[in-house]
């Protein structure tokens, strides 16, 4: 039996000959757009096959080479600042111990941005300390506009990018697509899992061909859930196809406070254990003069701290806290709070009947009142036949 494969998949197409001239049309990868070959399918003894090399990392446990990593998070929380931080370390060769990035020789980063201007990207990279001579924007115009469009095969703009990554004078380690969905050809429907897989496949080929990390950025949906699979919504197939998935989030407390933080961590890994999430502080810097139209600021991530739990566990904890805060207290919880409020500021002990009367006035029945009083305090008489008085245990006062 034989099987036809696309011409671009054959290693000799690039190793033994010149890089082909890219087709300028986006294309959709139909049979007319690819050449064919006839490799022979046969049973191959596993013990005699070449052993694949172990996974190589840019950031161990976070960003593998030759693979697709997806970074997903709520829109507007600053998740793009993570790739900026990573790019600054790659282009300067500096270590980032929190993300397990060792000191290395500097390398290049290729960026495709659809939501931020080239000026904003430049400002963020500058304040993060990146070497801008090693950052390349893949776009049509000098001002950063003119985004590429990618189909489901190595043709059109993908083939152009593939050829440029192979040129002399560029040493790429990372390609960032922010936001990936904006670059997908309109002929593909990402809600269709098969078409979504096809849209990701050329990125897998690109990552392996050039031994680079590919980081695809996407947004969560607006579902009220802590389940990361559900939060990925129509792009959930990314989680299945990608080797690594990173999740970025902000807690409700962070959103309400003046201090800005973003929590990021691996949510899925096919090649290593799941690392703990990191809590970054978002620092805003003045980078140009303020005007009526422009605050002149940009932001970067600093002070990473270990969350001591995975991002999935963290989201679950936040959801439970949110649910508990919104849940109406039970009669038992109400009784405990009423007792503490009544006893606060009073010299202890107080007449037991006064405590019971206070609880009854607030709708607490006798049994619930007695149970709550026994849980955090005790009643006793100073002498035989004397009225009982009530006092809180030391542990029951908070």
């Amino acid at each position: 039996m034989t099987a036809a494969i696309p011409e671009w998949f054959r290693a000799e197409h690039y190793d033994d000959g010149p890089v082909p001239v890219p087709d300028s049309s986006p294309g959709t990868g139909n049979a007319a757009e690819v050449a064919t070959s006839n490799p022979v399918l046969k049973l191959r003894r596993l013990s005699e096959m070449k052993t694949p090399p172990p996974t190589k990392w840019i950031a161990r446990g976070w960003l593998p080479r030759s693979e697709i990593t997806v970074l997903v998070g709520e829109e507007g929380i600053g998740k793009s600042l993570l790739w900026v931080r990573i790019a600054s370390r790659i282009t300067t060769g500096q270590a980032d111990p929190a993300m397990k990035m060792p000191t290395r020789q500097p390398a290049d980063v290729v960026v495709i941005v659809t939501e931020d201007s080239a000026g904003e990207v430049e400002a963020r990279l500058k304040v993060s300390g990146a070497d801008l001579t090693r950052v390349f924007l893949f776009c049509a115009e000098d001002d950063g506009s003119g985004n590429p469009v990618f189909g489901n095969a190595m043709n059109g703009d993908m083939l152009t990018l593939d050829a440029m990554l192979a040129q002399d004078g560029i040493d790429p380690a990372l390609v960032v697509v922010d936001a990936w969905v904006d670059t997908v050809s309109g002929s593909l429907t990402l809600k269709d899992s098969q078409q979504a897989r096809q849209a990701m496949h050329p990125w897998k080929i690109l990552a392996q061909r050039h031994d680079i990390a590919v980081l695809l950025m996407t947004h969560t949906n607006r579902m009220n859930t802590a389940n990361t699979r559900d939060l990925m919504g129509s792009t959930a197939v990314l989680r299945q196809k990608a080797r690594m998935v990173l999740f970025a989030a902000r807690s409700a407390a962070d959103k309400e406070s003046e201090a800005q933080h973003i929590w990021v961590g691996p949510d899925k890994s096919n090649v290593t254990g799941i690392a703990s999430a990191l809590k970054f502080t978002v620092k805003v810097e003045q980078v140009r003069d303020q005007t009526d139209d422009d605050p002149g600021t940009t932001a970067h991530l600093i002070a990473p701290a270990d969350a001591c739990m995975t991002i999935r566990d963290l989201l679950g904890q936040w959801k439970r806290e949110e649910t508990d805060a919104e849940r109406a207290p039970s009669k038992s919880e109400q009784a405990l709070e009423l007792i503490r409020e009544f006893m606060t500021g009073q010299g202890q002990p107080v007449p037991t009947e006064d405590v019971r009367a206070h609880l009854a006035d607030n709708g607490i029945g006798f049994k619930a009142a007695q149970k709550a009083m026994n849980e955090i305090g005790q009643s006793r008489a100073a002498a035989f036949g004397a009225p009982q008085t009530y006092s809180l245990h030391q542990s029951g006062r908070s």
Side-chain angles (χ1 to χ4, degrees):
M1 184 190 339
T2 59
I5 63 170
E7 176 70 7
W8 51 262
F9 194 87
R10 294 169 50 207
E12 64 268 21
H13 186 76
Y14 282 80
D15 295 340
D16 297 337
V19 173
V21 177
D23 180 3
S24 60
S25 60
T28 56
N30 56 47
E33 294 173 316
V34 294
T36 61
S37 183
N38 294 305
V40 177
L41 291 176
K42 64 179 182 179
L43 295 176
R44 302 176 188 272
R45 196 179 300 277
L46 183 59
S47 60
E48 298 174 357
M49 295 182 67
K50 293 181 179 179
T51 302
T55 301
K56 293 185 292 183
W57 298 89
I58 288 179
R60 182 162 53 87
W62 290 74
L63 192 62
R65 297 186 79 117
S66 298
E67 299 289 352
I68 297 173
T69 297
V70 174
L71 173 58
V72 61
E74 184 181 344
E75 187 175 1
I77 63 171
K79 61 183 177 293
S80 295
L81 298 178
L82 183 71
W83 75 250
V84 171
R85 180 183 174 91
I86 294 171
S88 71
R89 303 305 190 268
I90 291 174
T91 58
T92 59
Q94 294 180 359
D96 192 330
M99 295 190 68
K100 296 182 173 59
M101 293 180 67
T103 302
R104 291 193 179 98
Q105 288 297 316
D108 298 330
V109 174
V110 175
V111 182
I112 300 166
V113 288
T114 65
E115 297 181 334
D116 296 309
S117 68
E120 179 59 30
V121 170
E122 180 183 10
R124 290 174 181 173
L125 287 164
K126 273 185 178 179
V127 80
S128 295
D131 180 352
L132 298 186
T133 66
R134 286 189 169 273
V135 180
F136 296 82
L137 262 63
F138 185 51
C139 54
E141 304 295 338
D142 288 340
D143 63 358
S145 61
N147 296 317
V149 176
F150 303 111
N152 59 1
M154 294 293 280
N155 52 26
D157 291 342
M158 181 61 77
L159 193 57
T160 301
L161 176 59
D162 180 43
M164 289 182 173
L165 293 178
Q167 290 178 347
D168 292 336
I170 181 170
D171 178 26
L174 173 66
V175 172
V176 179
V177 188
D178 186 7
W180 174 69
V181 173
D182 294 339
T183 67
V184 177
S185 171
S187 64
L188 296 173
T189 302
L190 295 182
K191 291 183 179 180
D192 183 316
S193 61
Q194 185 63 30
Q195 293 189 47
R197 286 175 178 273
Q198 292 171 357
M200 291 185 69
H201 185 66
W203 289 110
K204 173 74 171 179
I205 299 298
L206 193 80
Q208 292 182 334
R209 193 195 303 284
H210 299 282
D211 189 30
I212 58 175
V214 170
L215 182 60
L216 305 181
M217 311 280 293
T218 187
H219 302 314
T220 59
N221 60 33
R222 300 184 183 276
M223 291 180 65
N224 185 21
T225 177
N227 188 306
T228 53
R229 291 181 180 85
D230 293 339
L231 285 169
M232 293 189 74
S234 63
T235 56
V237 71
L238 291 178
R239 194 179 191 281
Q240 302 167 11
K241 184 75 172 175
R243 185 58 63 96
M244 288 287 301
V245 175
L246 308 178
F247 209 94
R250 292 187 69 194
S251 69
D254 289 329
K255 294 176 182 177
E256 294 172 1
S257 68
E258 292 185 3
Q260 297 185 46
H261 300 103
I262 181 171
W263 306 70
V264 189
D267 176 56
K268 172 206 168 181
S269 172
N270 289 349
V271 288
T272 186
I274 303 296
S276 293
L278 293 175
K279 176 185 178 182
F280 291 95
T281 298
V282 180
K283 185 176 183 181
V284 178
E285 303 270 13
Q286 196 76 35
V287 294
R288 53 188 176 270
D289 292 338
Q290 180 178 350
T291 68
D292 292 339
D293 300 318
D294 176 20
T297 59
T298 194
H300 62 123
L301 301 182
I302 63 168
D306 193 335
C308 299
M309 66 176 70
T310 66
I311 192 69
R312 190 182 306 177
D313 290 341
L314 198 59
L315 290 171
Q317 176 181 294
W318 292 345
K319 186 60 180 177
R320 289 191 296 274
E321 291 173 352
E322 179 185 336
T323 301
D324 290 344
E326 294 175 350
R327 179 179 58 84
S330 65
K331 282 292 184 182
S332 176
E333 291 169 334
Q334 291 179 48
L336 294 173
E337 188 61 28
L338 286 167
I339 293 170
R340 292 189 180 99
E341 288 178 355
F342 182 75
M343 300 295 289
T344 300
Q346 298 202 42
Q348 297 192 46
V350 301
T352 297
E353 288 305 315
D354 289 356
V355 181
R356 289 186 179 134
H358 177 69
L359 293 174
D361 290 344
N362 285 276
I364 306 299
F366 180 80
K367 288 185 177 180
Q370 194 64 41
K371 180 181 178 182
M373 290 174 67
N374 291 339
E375 183 176 336
I376 60 174
Q378 64 178 353
S379 293
R380 60 184 174 182
F384 180 77
Q388 287 194 330
T389 58
Y390 181 79
S391 59
L392 293 176
H393 299 312
Q394 188 65 35
S395 60
R397 297 181 183 185
S398 58

